C-alpha cells in the first residue's frame, strides 16, 4: 500500500520501508514521528486531506543537503559580482507504517517543521484557570473636600483695551536709498552725414 503525504511544502509518494530526505523537522535521531497531512492512501483520495489518516516514520538523522552556489554578476558598466553559498537543512526519515484510520489517536508525535513555526515545536502547557475571588466593594463616595467649590475659582478679570499703535514710519532717507535710480545709458553717437 502507498500513500501521498505532504510536508515542508512538498508532496511525497511513500511506501513502508522508504527512506526520504524532507525539510528539517523538530525531532531527534531515533524518534518516531507522524505525518498527518495525507492526500491519498491506496485508492482513497482526500478532499483535500483524508481525515484520520497518517504516515508514521522514524527519524534517522539531521543532515545538510549539497552546497548550492548563487553567483550574480552585473554586466557592462557596473563591474560588481556576488557569490553566496547555501546548504539546506534536511531530515532523513524511514517510513514505518501507513494508517488509513485512527492516526489521530495513535499517540505518536506529529511532524512539525523546525524553522518555520518555532512556537508550535515546543509543547504548549495550559495553566489551570485561576479561582475567581469575590469583587471588592467600591469605596464610599469621595469626601467633599476633594471637589473644589465653584466660588473658589478666580473671577474673570476685565480685559484692558489695547492701545492701537501707529505703524512705524520709515525715514525718507531710507526710502530714497531703497529706490535706486536707473543708470543712464550714454547716448549712441550718430555718424555725421557726409557732405558733398
Amino acid at each position: 500500500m502507498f500513500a501521498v503525504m505532504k510536508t515542508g511544502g512538498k508532496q511525497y509518494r511513500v511506501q513502508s520501508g522508504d527512506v526520504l530526505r524532507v525539510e528539517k523537522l523538530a525531532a531527534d535521531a531515533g524518534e518516531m514521528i507522524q505525518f498527518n497531512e495525507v492526500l491519498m492512501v491506496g485508492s482513497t483520495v482526500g478532499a483535500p486531506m483524508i481525515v484520520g489518516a497518517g504516515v508514521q516514520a522514524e527519524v534517522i538523522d539531521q543532515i545538510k543537503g549539497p552546497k548550492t552556489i548563487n553567483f550574480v554578476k552585473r554586466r557592462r558598466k557596473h563591474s560588481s559580482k556576488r557569490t553566496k553559498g547555501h546548504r539546506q537543512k534536511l531530515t532523513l526519515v524511514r517510513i514505518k507504517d501507513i494508517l488509513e484510520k485512527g492516526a489521530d489517536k495513535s499517540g505518536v508525535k506529529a511532524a512539525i517543521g523546525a524553522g518555520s513555526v518555532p512556537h508550535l515545536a515546543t509543547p504548549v502547557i495550559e495553566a489551570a484557570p485561576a479561582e475567581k475571588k469575590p469583587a471588592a466593594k467600591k469605596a464610599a463616595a469621595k469626601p467633599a473636600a476633594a471637589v473644589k467649590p465653584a466660588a473658589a475659582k478666580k473671577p474673570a478679570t476685565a480685559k484692558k483695551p489695547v492701545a492701537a499703535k501707529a505703524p512705524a514710519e520709515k525715514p525718507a532717507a531710507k526710502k530714497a536709498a531703497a529706490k535706486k535710480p536707473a543708470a543712464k545709458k550714454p547716448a549712441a553717437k550718430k555718424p555725421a552725414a557726409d557732405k558733398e
Side-chain angles (χ1 to χ4, degrees):
M1 177 184 291
F2 74 93
V4 176
M5 65 172 204
K6 179 181 174 184
T7 180
K10 300 174 183 69
Q11 297 176 7
Y12 300 93
R13 182 186 187 275
V14 296
Q15 291 180 336
S16 184
D18 287 352
V19 176
L20 295 175
R21 292 179 353 169
V22 297
E23 296 290 322
K24 186 173 180 178
L25 301 172
D28 296 325
E31 203 172 341
M32 285 293 290
I33 57 171
Q34 179 171 296
F35 298 99
N36 294 322
E37 293 184 354
V38 179
L39 305 166
M40 182 176 178
V41 175
S43 61
T44 308
V45 179
M49 306 289 174
I50 299 176
V51 179
V55 176
Q56 293 181 350
E58 178 189 2
V59 177
I60 299 171
D61 197 9
Q62 300 284 353
I63 61 172
K64 285 187 178 181
K67 186 170 189 175
T68 57
I69 303 220
N70 180 16
F71 178 74
V72 177
K73 179 179 180 182
R74 296 177 69 198
R75 295 172 35 194
R76 297 182 186 89
K77 295 182 181 179
H78 302 292
S79 71
S80 69
K81 297 186 265 185
R82 180 179 67 234
T83 302
K84 187 176 179 182
H86 174 71
R87 292 186 72 184
Q88 184 66 35
K89 293 181 179 179
L90 303 170
T91 301
L92 214 59
V93 295
R94 177 176 285 117
I95 305 300
K96 291 290 185 181
D97 195 16
I98 296 172
L99 304 172
E100 287 186 63
K101 296 178 184 174
D104 46 353
K105 298 176 184 176
S106 66
V108 179
K109 176 183 170 184
I112 298 173
S116 60
V117 190
H119 64 279
L120 293 178
T122 56
V124 178
I125 301 171
E126 293 184 19
E131 294 180 16
K132 291 187 177 182
K133 295 180 180 179
K137 292 183 179 180
K138 290 187 177 181
K142 294 182 180 180
V147 179
K148 292 184 178 181
K153 291 184 180 178
K154 290 184 179 180
T157 56
K159 293 185 178 179
K160 295 179 183 177
V162 179
K165 292 184 180 178
E169 295 180 20
K170 292 184 180 178
K174 286 187 178 179
K175 285 183 181 178
K179 292 184 179 180
K180 293 184 180 178
K184 293 183 179 179
K185 294 182 181 177
K189 293 184 180 180
K190 295 181 181 178
D194 292 332
K195 292 181 181 179
E196 291 182 20

